[in-house]
Amino acid sequence: MENPITSKCCNNQPWFVLLVFSVFCLELLCFDYSALTGRKTGVTTLDSNHENAISTQNSLSHDFTEISNDSISQLPDSPPVNILVNRTDEANKMADKEEELKGETEVDSCLGRYIFVHDLPIRFNKDLVKNCRLLTRGTDKNMCLYLENLGFGPQIENPENVLLNNSWFLTNQFLLEVMFYNKMKMYECLTNDSSVASAVFVPFYAGLDMSMYLWGFNISVRDSASLGLVKWLADKPEWKRMWGRDHFLVAGRIAWDFRRQTDNESDWGSKLRFLPESKNMSMLSIESSSWNNDYAIPYPTCFHPSKDGEIFQWQDRMRRQERHYLFTFAGAPRPEYQNSIRGKIIDQCLASKNQCKLLDCNYGATNCDNPVNVMRVFQSSIFCLQPPGDSYTRRSIFDSILAGCIPVFFHPGTAYAQYKWHLPKNHTKYSVYIAVKDLSEWKINLNETLLGISEDKILALREEVIRLIPRVVYADPRSRLETLEDAFDLAIKGILERIESVRNMIREGKDPSVGFADGDDYKYTFSLYGNGI
């Protein structure tokens, strides 16, 4: 017996097939429409998810260790072609967003270079400048003239064309602290937030203060400003962060002037650098002492270029300069110093006749006060003799470098143990060293010694000296060098590295006071520098 249901289906089979086919076509049409509309809506859905993801990422720390495949949202089911298109669009938008975020999070060019400058009471700086007529009591010299042009002094007229352009000034060698502070005011990485500063600058005119009270004043008056300064600093929150070891100041006199060893009224200078608080600071000055927290930076010369081209032009001129003399000495004898070799140098210079040029700077002579005279003589010489004077160092070192004249040193304390941030560590690259400690060791003939240096060696030395010129000048702060670093830039870089090394000691759990302000009895010995040429 037939099943009534199957029998009916079989009897109506054509109609049933037609019905199934119609339903299939309708479903296929609907499916294709949904696919087409999916192409229009899928990107919007993914963009919305992407924006949510970026928003979430900005509110969380960037810990990528917790991310796994399970935590990534799965794409909804859709035809394969749509998945490919959506992923490509998403990747493009992610890349655009990453570029945008990269622009917003560029590395701060001042990171690690920020400097905070203390706003000191005016008695520590501005008042000293206002009272410039009192800075040289007991002498007929007026310092007010030299404070023009941000401490560079008046511009030098150059009718004889010895100098070049308008970048030469009548600069006093003891005004470094004034011009340094004026350059610091233009430093590109100053900050008013001391918490982000890598160093703290103390704009105390220590040298001017000392000049005012050097003669005719007791030690309590001479030390008054120094004591007031450290008391003021110690009360500031910036001091307590590293107890002053991130602080530094600049002085326009030699560091020994601030290290009076006793309280005898007859002793020279102040005891600023022996005060407990001051021991925690670093000092930059024209000549360092033998203590580790004193650093030497170049004496100010009279050349203060305002742009790179002025330096390049001067360097080219010094390369082409004709040099008629073998050696030159600009200075005066020091008969008051029993072992001074200056008298011997002058005698040999005079005996060398046309081989040596002497610029007499004896008391009362004005030749050496005129930069035109000094530069004219140095430019005409191959070697410039640089013996110690009242102290180990002298500005003449840097005048000779400016002139492309190879310096000849007789004591390591004159340059090699001093200007470590500005002059090459290998002193044989730019100078000649003749080992003469004092007159008892004088067994040389300067003329014969210098004539014995080969022409190739002289050319190499001179080129290195000329290359050093931008490193030993203080550029005009009213403009900025573009490709060169001047003496100020190198001093800032040096002190920042010094302070960062102390900060690293603290991070490592070490005592930062160890070695910070220790004396170095071997700093000026000859053993480190060989036996001469």
Side-chain angles (χ1 to χ4, degrees):
M1 184 177 188
E2 290 184 346
N3 189 318
I5 298 177
T6 57
S7 174
K8 187 175 181 177
C9 288
C10 291
N11 291 335
N12 296 286
Q13 185 174 3
W15 296 104
F16 177 77
V17 171
L18 181 63
L19 177 64
V20 170
F21 179 77
S22 299
V23 171
F24 176 79
C25 290
L26 181 62
E27 288 181 348
L28 182 63
L29 179 64
C30 293
F31 183 84
D32 188 59
Y33 177 76
S34 67
L36 290 170
T37 56
R39 287 188 184 126
K40 294 180 182 178
T41 60
V43 173
T44 304
T45 303
L46 288 173
D47 270 351
S48 175
N49 291 338
H50 174 54
E51 287 171 0
N52 290 337
I54 294 293
S55 175
T56 305
Q57 181 180 350
N58 288 339
S59 65
L60 297 174
S61 62
H62 294 171
D63 185 1
F64 299 106
T65 59
E66 299 298 322
I67 295 177
S68 65
N69 289 334
D70 294 334
S71 67
I72 301 174
S73 299
Q74 300 297 314
L75 290 171
D77 291 336
S78 55
V81 65
N82 290 339
I83 294 175
L84 179 62
V85 170
N86 287 338
R87 283 180 177 173
T88 302
D89 289 347
E90 178 68 4
N92 290 337
K93 289 187 176 291
M94 283 287 286
D96 291 342
K97 196 69 177 179
E98 286 173 0
E99 285 296 321
E100 181 181 338
L101 290 173
K102 184 188 289 186
E104 293 175 358
T105 58
E106 265 186 24
V107 176
D108 185 352
S109 63
C110 285
L111 196 63
R113 301 196 299 133
Y114 281 113
I115 293 179
F116 177 82
V117 180
H118 271 303
D119 185 15
L120 297 182
I122 60 173
R123 69 189 179 101
F124 295 117
N125 42 47
K126 293 179 182 177
D127 279 353
L128 293 166
V129 172
K130 287 179 182 177
N131 295 320
C132 56
R133 294 185 181 278
L134 303 176
L135 295 175
T136 49
R137 286 184 174 122
T139 73
D140 57 358
K141 203 172 185 83
N142 184 355
M143 290 291 285
C144 298
L145 174 72
Y146 299 103
L147 289 164
E148 295 178 15
N149 293 312
L150 305 178
F152 290 156
Q155 199 168 38
I156 298 173
E157 294 183 4
N158 183 29
E160 302 171 61
N161 199 33
V162 174
L163 310 179
L164 192 66
N165 57 53
N166 298 317
S167 297
W168 292 80
F169 300 81
L170 192 61
T171 301
N172 186 285
Q173 66 178 18
F174 296 121
L175 287 181
L176 175 61
E177 57 211 32
V178 177
M179 64 181 68
F180 199 98
Y181 185 22
N182 284 324
K183 284 183 69 67
M184 180 64 79
K185 292 174 184 176
M186 306 296 178
Y187 177 60
E188 67 269 24
C189 295
L190 291 181
T191 179
N192 291 323
D193 183 359
S194 62
S195 67
V196 303
S198 295
V200 178
F201 178 54
V202 181
F204 172 40
Y205 293 164
L208 297 189
D209 174 72
M210 176 180 291
S211 297
M212 192 172 287
Y213 304 112
L214 268 179
W215 293 279
F217 293 89
N218 60 38
I219 59 173
S220 62
V221 173
R222 279 186 267 162
D223 294 336
S224 176
S226 299
L227 291 165
L229 173 74
V230 297
K231 184 179 185 302
W232 187 91
L233 289 172
D235 288 338
K236 297 298 173 184
E238 290 79 17
W239 184 265
K240 297 175 177 62
R241 188 162 58 239
M242 289 178 65
W243 301 107
R245 293 186 182 91
D246 56 352
H247 285 48
F248 73 100
L249 67 159
V250 175
R253 301 183 68 93
I254 66 173
W256 300 99
D257 287 348
F258 307 97
R259 290 188 176 275
R260 192 186 70 241
Q261 306 253 4
T262 75
D263 285 338
N264 296 331
E265 298 289 346
S266 59
D267 275 5
W268 177 266
S270 78
K271 65 175 182 180
L272 167 64
R273 299 298 284 142
F274 284 131
L275 298 177
E277 296 86 354
S278 182
K279 287 181 180 180
N280 284 3
M281 293 191 287
S282 297
M283 174 184 273
L284 315 184
S285 60
I286 54 177
E287 178 180 323
S288 68
S289 70
S290 59
W291 277 266
N292 291 338
N293 55 349
D294 287 339
Y295 295 86
I297 60 178
Y299 280 75
T301 66
C302 294
F303 184 36
H304 305 290
S306 58
K307 51 190 176 184
D308 299 41
E310 293 175 357
I311 297 177
F312 297 145
Q313 189 178 6
W314 180 257
Q315 286 175 310
D316 289 341
R317 183 169 176 171
M318 292 305 100
R319 288 187 180 98
R320 299 191 305 268
Q321 193 72 29
E322 293 185 10
R323 300 180 186 270
H324 304 291
Y325 299 104
L326 177 63
F327 63 104
T328 284
F329 176 60
R334 288 289 189 270
E336 64 272 29
Y337 298 129
Q338 185 178 1
N339 284 319
S340 174
I341 62 174
R342 286 186 167 214
K344 198 71 174 178
I345 285 174
I346 292 172
D347 290 342
Q348 289 205 6
C349 181
L350 293 173
S352 297
K353 297 181 180 179
N354 294 333
Q355 293 281 10
C356 179
K357 177 65 176 177
L358 176 65
L359 186 62
D360 185 8
C361 300
N362 211 339
Y363 299 111
T366 59
N367 291 339
C368 297
D369 290 334
N370 187 338
V372 175
N373 289 341
V374 174
M375 295 309 295
R376 181 193 292 111
V377 172
F378 284 2
Q379 288 174 34
S380 65
S381 303
I382 297 173
F383 298 101
C384 289
L385 308 184
Q386 305 296 346
D390 297 329
S391 66
Y392 290 116
T393 64
R394 55 198 310 247
R395 182 165 88 169
S396 179
I397 299 166
F398 303 101
D399 289 335
S400 70
I401 290 174
L402 272 188
C405 186
I406 302 163
V408 179
F409 299 117
F410 301 87
H411 194 291
T414 304
Y416 307 150
Q418 299 284 346
Y419 309 101
K420 296 181 179 180
W421 299 336
H422 296 79
L423 300 179
K425 185 176 182 180
N426 181 2
H427 63 87
T428 62
K429 289 178 62 176
Y430 74 97
S431 68
V432 171
Y433 175 53
I434 300 175
V436 179
K437 187 176 181 180
D438 55 40
L439 274 176
S440 65
E441 298 179 357
W442 190 277
K443 300 172 185 176
I444 61 166
N445 182 293
L446 288 172
N447 199 48
E448 293 177 359
T449 300
L450 297 176
L451 280 173
I453 300 174
S454 70
E455 185 64 26
D456 288 345
K457 177 66 173 176
I458 288 172
L459 291 174
L461 287 168
R462 183 184 302 133
E463 182 57 33
E464 182 65 19
V465 167
I466 292 173
R467 190 189 68 81
L468 291 174
I469 289 175
R471 301 173 65 89
V472 301
V473 299
Y474 295 91
D476 194 324
R478 292 167 288 195
S479 59
R480 184 171 296 172
L481 300 182
E482 296 178 0
T483 64
L484 299 172
E485 291 180 310
D486 73 344
F488 173 87
D489 296 325
L490 295 173
I492 293 298
K493 183 184 292 186
I495 194 62
L496 287 172
E497 290 176 357
R498 150 75 164 177
I499 293 170
E500 184 60 24
S501 68
V502 175
R503 198 173 276 117
N504 284 335
M505 288 183 65
I506 296 173
R507 293 190 189 108
E508 295 168 4
K510 299 177 182 177
D511 184 352
S513 66
V514 175
F516 186 93
D518 290 357
D520 181 1
D521 295 334
Y522 299 98
K523 186 172 185 177
Y524 300 115
T525 59
F526 288 86
S527 57
L528 297 176
Y529 304 98
N531 295 318
I533 301 170

